[in-house]
Amino acid sequence: MEISGLPVELWRLILSYLRLPDLGRCSLVCRTWYELILSLDNTRWRQLCLGCIECRHPNWPNQPHVEPQSWREAFKQHHVASKTWTKNAQDFESSNCFYLFRRKKDRRILCVGQGCEFDTLRAAVASAGAYDRIVLLPGVYEEQSEIILKVPVEIVGRGKLGDVALLVSIDQHCPTTRLCNVVFMPAWFTPIIYKTTSGHIQFDNCNFENGQLQIHAPGTCQVKFCTFNQSSVHLHSVALGVLENCEFTGSENASVTIEGVPSSERNWACKHLATLAKSHSVLLQASDAEPCNLPKSDGWGCPPARNVRTCKIVVGGDQSNLLSASKAQLVLEKAGEKEAEVNGNFYSEKEGEALVLETHSSDSELSTSSENEEDNRPTCKLSYQAHSLSHTLAHVVHSRLQTNGLATLQTDLELKTLQQELQRDKEAQSLASALQGCLIRKCLFRDGKGGVFVCSQGRAKLEGSVFRDLTYAVRCIQNSKIIILKNDIHHCKASGIFLRSAAGGLIADNNIHSNCEAGVDIRKGANPLILCNKIHSGLRSGIVVLGNGKGIIRSNQIYGNKEAGIYILYNGNPIVSGNHIFQGLAAGIAVNENGRGQIIENIIRENQWGGADIRRGGDPVLRNNLICCGYSDGVVVGEKGKGLIEGNTIYGNKGCGVWLMSSSLPHITNNQIGHNGIYGVAVFCRKDDANDYLANQGGNENFNDEGEAVSWENDLDSEDERLASRRPISVALVESNSINHNGAAGLYIKSSEALNIIANAIHANHDSGVAVFQSSQLTRIANNSISCNSLGGVLIETEARVELRGNGIYDNRSHGIASKGDGVITENDIIGNRGCGLRLLQTADMKITKNRIQSFWDYGIVMLDQSKGLVQENLIFQGRSKKTILQQVSNAEDCIVQNNKLLTFKKKSDFGWALENPPARPHIEGSTQGTSTVTSNQKATTMSTRIAARVDRGCHNNGSVFCTIL
């Protein structure tokens, strides 16, 4: 019959009455008929799929409201899967030699129930032949002893699910069996409902109540569309078992337990199950996630209750949008242009001739004009642009304007998708494609104690499942391996995923949120690979690594957790790279109690406490991270904190860029620390209450699992190996950083311990460049460039001990150095500051030797009050004509001024001064260090061009915003 004879709608109505075999025959007529049969997807195929007693909605139990892409395909997949049990390679009755000649045996149907041939299941099983079907009529069937299945049979309940109930214990001794549409309850004599030790068992659309399903190697299982109410599945060394579209509720222990190494002895069903599993893998489905953007309203948690400060992070965007990111960005660009103009136009007016005067005392007679002299007097300004850190200042000035090389850095910091991670990491790719032990796919675990428990070198793979309202979702211990892909894990009473005792595996592309403890808990040598997850809205930390736990944590979004996004302690030593850690209610990353770790190339932003918080023996490597827009400090190194903090961009935080306690021992090098609300780097001696910190930061987490004592194993890695690539230090070291445009002093020191400040570029901060308010032990400030700060270059308060050596202190808007303390000032260039070059007052006691000093608007050196010390062998240049260049007001007897050279000039002279022999300071010895600094700072300054942030200025009187919160 021609299709064109009737309208298509009428054909569809006619065909909707056909049964499945008739539809199959019609589809074989021709291509037109085949396409017509396919067009029945939302009508007849949907009816057939939902009307089948052997299956449920294809997306049950997690998304029963979501229709599949094709009802016909879903029905086909279930039909093929339901026939797995019949694919036994061996013929039960005849030899393989004669399979070509055997005749197909008709399957018998044996009915059990009132008025049928058999009254009990036991009687029907005893009479059944191979592959016969036993149909149970509605009713309750109870057996008083164990039933042993010796031949392959199919047991099916008639009617709706729940009409047939079996109170039995079945032990399978045959190669294969299938049970369908039955409610199982345990018999009175054992909790074990079903057990097999060698064959394959298939369950479709069954309910299990208060019992256990046990599978022992080399047995296998395939369980689909089943409900387990206060029931559990135990797999012992099983090579491969599949649990698909099942629901587990109300478990008193783990719902699924997998233990033992997968057996090398495999039964006939393994290859069929493997083919079935791989054809439906979640890795074949395109991810629709948007990993780089945080949705305004999160489906798994409440949206932020506050207005978030502007912090635009451009990832892989068009460079043309970079310069117009925000009004704040334009303001910063204009400021940069102004600084470039100021720094690039130093000149020499050749209108004076130098006079070299040898003196052993103050030369007050040289001052013949008042301090209110007009600014149009001739001057001779010294150029200092060629010093060793000039390249760093150039990057500071132009960093917000440059775009060259930005695309590469944007690509490096972009949050990678799971497919990208698998392409670049062969180990992860191998783990993701592995299939051993138990495959759990599209299942629901809810309202019970545990979800999946893997132990004793077991293997398991979880795909597309939901774990909610449990005590824990997944536990993996004792050298076991687990693969967790694309699951939702939330509202657990403890940790979502727990790994310990050398457990490992892959945790990728999951949504882990709203758990009462950590989202992922790693301890005791566990070493998982954690990729591309969303870990958020937890009531504790996002990820906890402790007790020699390790792991690779990469390309995750970790946000909105009540405590640290990642918390490392007790010798935890993970590699944390390429993550976005943001909007946490505490620190972004906290390293405590001898925790370690490598924290590399992460974006850490908008956290309430420090972006990175290191305390109590914490000793991480914090390298090449972007730490920005925090509501407190960028990096906090608290009591006894250590670590290498290198190559980071610390930008736009409301508190300090880096906050240190004087009892800490960090190495802070090659960082870009700019545009922070208070100090660039602050060092305090006041001890904050560490106990309060721990109570809020995660100290009350249940680290003593299952009642074990707090006795962490000693670190297995040798100390020498751990520090082989790190330069040993005995004093806290701040070196080779660019500290610029911060809201208060670039570097603020109130310390009780020694401190070394070496080779930094401290530029354009809104207070002094360096402010030393307390330093009971020597603070060494050497080879730094301190320039263009809103107040003085260096401020030294009473009772502070400071050594200033080899610094270039240029163009600050107040005094170059103002000191009330003690120490040594030697071999510095103090040029072009708007106040005095060097000002001693009150009880200052300084040894001032071999410096080169010039001030345009004030005295070169001023000694006031009771200041004392030795001023010797300095070279002092006159800034303006008829201006005093050295003034001694102090009457102290031990104030000695001798052997200084005072250079003045005559009008109409062609002589020009220059900083020569040596050239302008600072001098950085060794080209290797200079090259390293250039490379790191280029990367760091380029990174800072990607941010537009509103930075609120303000200065707390007593240190860190973090401490103010406490």
Side-chain angles (χ1 to χ4, degrees), residues 61-78:
N62 294 324
Q63 296 178 309
H65 58 284
V66 178
E67 292 199 355
Q69 293 183 350
S70 169
W71 285 98
R72 175 184 172 276
E73 186 63 27
F75 187 63
K76 173 185 174 182
Q77 290 175 2
H78 172 73

Side-chain angles (χ1 to χ4, degrees), residues 603-625:
I603 293 180
I604 305 171
R605 61 182 171 91
E606 298 178 66
N607 296 286
Q608 290 289 335
W609 293 6
D613 197 296
I614 305 166
R615 295 171 185 262
R616 290 198 169 188
D619 190 11
V621 174
L622 190 70
R623 180 178 288 131
N624 295 340
N625 300 281

Side-chain angles (χ1 to χ4, degrees), residues 149-170:
L149 296 180
K150 297 182 179 180
V151 296
V153 293
E154 181 181 27
I155 302 174
V156 180
R158 179 174 292 178
K160 296 181 180 179
L161 180 61
D163 290 347
V164 177
L166 283 176
L167 283 72
V168 295
S169 176
I170 300 175

Side-chain angles (χ1 to χ4, degrees), residues 98 204 329 510 639:
F98 301 103
D204 290 315
Q329 187 76 354
N510 302 282
E639 183 181 5

Side-chain angles (χ1 to χ4, degrees), residues 130-146:
Y131 302 101
D132 284 347
R133 168 178 280 209
I134 299 175
V135 178
L136 301 175
L137 272 60
V140 178
Y141 301 88
E142 183 175 7
E143 299 293 340
Q144 300 300 316
S145 61
E146 187 177 69

Side-chain angles (χ1 to χ4, degrees), residues 352-369:
E353 183 176 325
L355 297 177
V356 179
L357 304 177
E358 301 277 347
T359 180
H360 297 273
S361 61
S362 91
D363 194 0
S364 59
E365 290 83 9
L366 293 175
S367 177
T368 60
S369 60

Side-chain angles (χ1 to χ4, degrees), residues 704-886:
N704 302 333
D705 184 66
E706 296 180 351
E708 58 185 313
V710 185
S711 56
W712 304 110
E713 301 89 343
N714 293 326
D715 186 12
L716 301 178
D717 301 327
S718 70
E719 193 72 10
D720 292 339
E721 181 182 352
R722 182 166 71 90
L723 299 177
S725 61
R726 293 186 34 191
R727 174 174 151 197
I729 59 171
S730 57
V731 175
L733 177 60
V734 180
E735 69 166 346
S736 303
N737 302 282
S738 176
I739 305 171
N740 61 84
H741 298 92
N742 296 288
L747 209 154
Y748 178 94
I749 302 166
K750 193 174 181 181
S751 173
S752 59
E753 302 289 341
L755 175 66
N756 290 339
I757 302 167
I758 311 295
N760 301 280
I762 304 172
H763 177 78
N765 297 286
H766 292 279
D767 203 287
S768 300
V770 178
V772 186
F773 274 72
Q774 177 182 328
S775 179
S776 55
Q777 296 193 37
L778 183 65
T779 295
R780 183 169 175 250
I781 304 173
N783 297 328
N784 300 279
S785 172
I786 305 171
S787 63
C788 299
N789 296 286
S790 295
L791 295 182
V794 179
L795 173 64
I796 304 169
E797 287 291 342
T798 308
E799 298 182 357
R801 296 181 56 208
V802 175
E803 177 187 343
L804 280 159
R805 183 183 299 270
N807 301 282
I809 303 172
Y810 305 117
D811 244 20
N812 298 285
R813 295 184 181 179
S814 184
H815 309 297
I817 300 174
S819 175
K820 301 176 185 177
D822 305 337
V824 177
I825 302 175
T826 184
E827 298 179 357
N828 302 280
D829 288 343
I830 308 169
I831 306 294
N833 301 284
R834 289 182 178 269
C836 300
L838 197 156
R839 188 170 186 254
L840 305 183
L841 62 162
Q842 295 184 9
T843 59
D845 185 0
M846 306 295 292
K847 182 180 179 181
I848 304 168
T849 62
K850 299 181 180 179
N851 301 282
R852 295 183 293 192
I853 304 171
Q854 183 188 42
S855 176
F856 300 137
W857 292 275
D858 213 322
Y859 302 101
I861 299 177
V862 173
M863 305 179 71
L864 304 173
D865 304 327
Q866 300 301 313
S867 60
K868 56 186 178 181
L870 174 64
V871 180
Q872 179 176 293
E873 298 181 11
N874 299 284
L875 181 59
I876 307 174
F877 300 88
Q878 183 175 358
R880 295 184 179 277
S881 62
K882 299 181 182 181
K883 188 73 174 180
T884 298
I885 58 178
L886 189 148

